[in-house]
Amino acid sequence: MRIQPERLKPILRVEFVLIACVISALLFASHAWGQAPKKDKTKPKTKTPPKVHVAVEIGGQVREVQGNYPAKFQETRDVPEGFVIQKLKLDFKPADSPYFLAMKGLEILQRDQRFTVDGGRFGKYRMQFVWDQIPHSFGSGKSFLQNTAPGLYQVSPTLRAQLQALTSPEARISPTSAVSALIRRELETAPIIDVRLRRDQALFRQSYQPSDKVELHAQFSWLRNRGSRPMSAGTFVRRPVPANGLADIGGAWEGLGQEFLEPLDYRTIELKLGAQFRGKRWSAGVDYDLSLFRNNIGSVIFENPFRVTDEQGCLPNPATPAVPTCGASNRFRQVRWQSDLVPNNDSHTISFWAKVDLNPNTQVRGLVSLAYWTQNDDFLPWTLNTAIVPRNWDGVSPITNPTNVSQLPASSANAKMRNINQEYALVNRRKNFRFQAQYRSQSLDNQTPTIEFPGYAAFGDSTWRAARTDFYNLPIENLDWDF
């Protein structure tokens, strides 16, 4: 078969390209083959995979509590029934990296759960975070008191009127009396109240090292306490006891009181800033601490379950019943009772410390700390008992209305205190001998102004007591405690 020259040209071009590629491969093959053994000797580096460790602990549990005080079993912990996540842990530590991260959770979804995070770069900076919860259970029970507002506990006015009618005039209450039967009947339908607290705390700490000789650190923490706990109030009552032909031999002392629930809603914010400096034979540092305590419920008011009308204390006069001798009895008969709770306060503290190595066996170190505390909570009125007339007890008392805060000698304590701590030491340590000389000093300067009060509501808010009517005739004032 005859091949046309025009058709041979594309074929020749393809063959030429193929032959050129083969010749090029042969020309450069000696260089490639010559380098092949050297390349095989140097093996590529294999990266170590990061180490990630995860652990989870889950399960289920049941419980059975017996005894007279079951609340003690979970007083400061939580032991729920059913499904639980006991632990969750995660560690991330790359082998070829200076960074690290660790996370942990304990008692997850329980009242005592705790979470921590710790991460950073070795030798450079570190971050730590903690979230912690701690419960405190006091138990459960029934009460007539209902929390109608923050710091206000009220009782049904109908029930208070019934109980007042059964307890007046004053007399000892028998367990089988009508008032005892009424209380038991009302408690059957009263709601069950769980009395418990819970503390929530968050903490964040950050440290940073710009160089080997300097370290900076900061810490922020937030603490909250909320819930309720038992709180008691009352006084004593002196009742006449006839004997041996005498009308009264001094009386029998009995306690009259009630147990309430103190509401808590505290917050504490703390901030700490500091720096450390290091040398070859010395180190020093400075720290500043700020603490702010805030109570969202400044006072608590309770309604007396046994009263609908205020009354001051009086003891009937056997000789003249129409003229009572007030003071020894008929106490704790106010409609409302009030108490001040922990006040807001601030604290500022700055500290300096240093230590020097005089030689390998001898060191000198010292610390100076200055703290300044303030508190300026508003005063409450002397009493909420509108029946107390101070001049019935003190004829020259300047107070005409003890429920009026404007008659107080001051609106607040304006409390200020300064505290200075110093500590110095010289220490020498040898193989069989140790010498230490140490000096400590603390100076507490109370700069709170002294306030003298003309009197106060005493004996369960039933009487008015002044300095001239007191046993010791001492002024009623805040003392200047310092040292």
Side-chain angles (χ1 to χ4, degrees), residues 131-287:
W131 175 268
D132 190 23
Q133 293 182 332
I134 298 179
H136 191 169
S137 177
F138 298 93
S140 59
K142 294 185 176 183
S143 175
F144 301 136
L145 295 162
Q146 301 298 319
N147 189 5
T148 59
L152 176 61
Y153 289 84
Q154 294 184 291
V155 182
S156 166
T158 302
L159 176 60
R160 288 191 284 121
Q162 293 176 345
L163 291 174
Q164 177 174 324
L166 294 174
T167 54
S168 296
E170 183 180 0
R172 289 183 174 89
I173 299 175
S174 170
T176 59
S177 64
V179 64
S180 300
L182 175 60
I183 292 175
R184 291 190 180 95
R185 185 169 62 251
E186 292 293 330
L187 284 176
E188 290 179 357
T189 58
I192 298 178
I193 301 174
D194 292 327
V195 185
R196 63 162 58 101
L197 297 173
R198 192 179 76 178
R199 188 194 74 175
D200 298 83
Q201 183 178 17
L203 184 145
F204 177 82
R205 178 178 173 85
Q206 178 72 54
S207 61
Y208 173 66
Q209 291 181 270
S211 67
D212 295 338
K213 298 182 178 181
V214 180
E215 177 181 343
L216 306 177
H217 57 266
Q219 178 175 305
F220 174 82
S221 64
W222 176 86
L223 175 65
R224 181 182 181 183
N225 280 337
R226 54 181 172 173
S228 60
R229 63 184 176 188
M231 179 181 185
S232 299
T235 185
F236 57 88
V237 178
R238 185 170 61 207
R239 305 179 187 272
V241 180
N244 301 326
L246 300 176
D248 187 3
I249 61 172
W253 298 88
E254 294 184 358
L256 178 65
Q258 299 176 32
E259 186 176 80
F260 305 105
L261 294 181
E262 177 188 357
L264 269 72
D265 193 355
Y266 299 165
R267 285 179 176 84
T268 303
I269 298 175
E270 292 186 352
L271 176 64
K272 298 182 179 181
L273 303 174
Q276 296 184 17
F277 308 93
R278 291 183 291 270
K280 185 176 181 181
R281 300 175 59 180
W282 63 273
S283 62
V286 58
D287 295 282

Side-chain angles (χ1 to χ4, degrees), residues 382-454:
W382 280 287
T383 181
L384 298 181
N385 190 349
T386 58
I388 293 181
V389 180
R391 290 185 179 176
N392 287 353
W393 314 88
D394 178 15
V396 296
S397 175
I399 306 303
T400 58
N401 183 7
T403 64
N404 188 353
V405 293
S406 63
Q407 296 191 6
L408 291 166
S411 60
S412 64
N414 193 21
K416 300 176 182 179
M417 301 187 75
R418 186 188 65 189
N419 186 41
I420 301 178
N421 283 324
Q422 300 181 69
E423 182 174 348
Y424 308 97
L426 172 64
V427 181
N428 180 271
R429 295 182 179 180
R430 298 183 181 274
K431 183 177 181 180
N432 299 319
F433 174 79
R434 177 182 178 183
F435 171 81
Q436 178 172 335
Q438 188 170 0
Y439 170 79
R440 292 181 179 179
S441 171
Q442 181 181 6
S443 174
L444 180 64
D445 181 16
N446 190 349
Q447 302 174 353
T448 305
T450 300
I451 304 174
E452 185 173 346
F453 293 83

